[in-house]
Amino acid sequence: MLTVDFSRFPLAPGDRVLDLGCGAGRHAFECYRRGARVVALDRNAEEIREVAKWFAAMKEAGEAPAGATATAMEGDALALPFPDESFDVVIISEVMEHIPDDKGVLAEMVRVLKPGGRIAVTVPRYGPEKVCWTLSDAYHEVEGGHIRIYRADQLLDRIREAGLKPYGTHHAHALHSPYWWLKCAFGVDNDKALPVRAYHKLLVWDIMKKPLATRVAEQALNPLIGKSFVAYATKPHLPRVDAA
């Protein structure tokens, strides 16, 4: 299930991509399939080991085109182990709401992004997320949990302050908002509640089958209750300074 829309955030074969806070690797895998040279980075060693296994399996199965590469590594988002201007593309999906120093993370992303490069940032959307926080303290008051809720204009201001130029936004995953509201209402760790189980089956069916009815419904509902807010931006080229 992708949050970044690659029709709005196109990749070229050979692009060097950083998936920062890659988690289970969903965006890194898609970039690899599209011919990119991918680095998937996360602080969670267990998830990085799993992502590395999936990269190896994809290579064995021939899922990535010739020239594509994929590396999974542990790292700190506030101290990225890469030189300046190393990447054509940076993706950070559902990560910034976890990190106290979000400005520091953006600064590091801008540092490793090449001039003219593109960045995709996704965070939980304010409205649906606020409902979750209201229904359940356990939803966010956990180690490593969400520490803030972004309004769209606040996130875009952060992006501009970091020196990036936003060029597009949208919302995603409207069908997932009611699922999390149910989880919060019945207990975030209570997967046995009948409404939660039933809705989870619906989501699995939707992800696996992609029926037209739910695709159309989600597209219509995304502007209203989309679970994620997605922003795209570029790093401007610096003005050329001629020698005196």
Side-chain angles (χ1 to χ4, degrees):
M1 184 186 71
L2 298 174
T3 307
V4 172
D5 181 352
F6 286 94
S7 69
R8 311 181 198 217
F9 191 69
L11 293 181
D15 274 351
R16 186 160 168 78
V17 177
L18 173 63
D19 185 1
L20 181 55
C22 64
R26 58 200 173 106
H27 289 107
F29 300 148
E30 181 65 20
C31 294
Y32 189 32
R33 291 188 187 98
R34 290 171 178 262
R37 295 174 293 158
V38 184
V39 176
L41 183 144
D42 200 284
R43 64 183 300 179
N44 187 311
E46 184 177 342
E47 288 197 309
I48 284 298
R49 285 192 292 271
E50 286 300 310
V51 170
K53 289 178 184 178
W54 278 105
F55 278 150
M58 291 172 68
K59 181 177 181 180
E60 181 70 21
E63 289 189 39
T69 62
T71 302
M73 61 185 295
E74 287 182 66
D76 183 352
L78 290 165
L80 296 174
F82 311 111
D84 296 353
E85 302 180 4
S86 298
F87 294 94
D88 302 291
V89 171
V90 177
I91 296 171
I92 185 166
S93 182
E94 312 300 302
V95 173
M96 287 181 54
E97 66 276 9
H98 296 271
I99 300 176
D101 187 7
D102 57 345
K103 291 183 179 180
V105 173
L106 278 167
E108 271 294 88
M109 289 190 288
V110 171
R111 180 184 67 79
V112 302
L113 187 64
K114 296 178 180 178
R118 303 174 306 286
I119 186 169
V121 180
T122 91
V123 297
R125 184 184 186 176
Y126 184 86
E129 184 76 349
K130 189 69 173 178
V131 173
C132 290
W133 282 46
T134 301
L135 290 171
S136 171
D137 290 337
Y139 171 79
H140 62 96
E141 290 182 358
V142 295
E143 184 178 355
H146 299 183
I147 63 170
R148 71 173 65 82
I149 309 176
Y150 288 99
R151 294 187 182 275
D153 56 354
Q154 179 189 15
L155 180 63
L156 292 172
D157 284 345
R158 287 273 198 279
I159 289 171
R160 293 187 185 98
E161 289 166 5
L164 297 166
K165 184 178 181 181
Y167 70 83
T169 65
H170 64 89
H171 300 99
H173 310 318
L175 295 182
H176 288 249
S177 290
Y179 172 70
W180 282 103
W181 297 338
L182 288 170
K183 288 271 286 182
C184 290
F186 287 93
V188 290
D189 297 320
N190 180 13
D191 293 327
K192 295 182 179 179
L194 180 59
V196 175
R197 293 199 338 259
Y199 203 98
H200 183 263
K201 287 182 180 180
L202 170 67
L203 291 180
V204 171
W205 172 74
D206 175 58
I207 291 170
M208 299 301 294
K209 300 298 184 180
K210 298 180 175 63
L212 178 61
T214 56
R215 295 300 85 218
V216 171
E218 182 158 77
Q219 188 172 18
L221 289 171
N222 274 337
L224 302 173
I225 60 168
K227 183 74 170 67
S228 294
F229 175 70
V230 188
Y232 306 106
T234 58
K235 180 178 177 178
H237 291 274
L238 293 174
R240 183 174 176 177
V241 178
D242 296 323

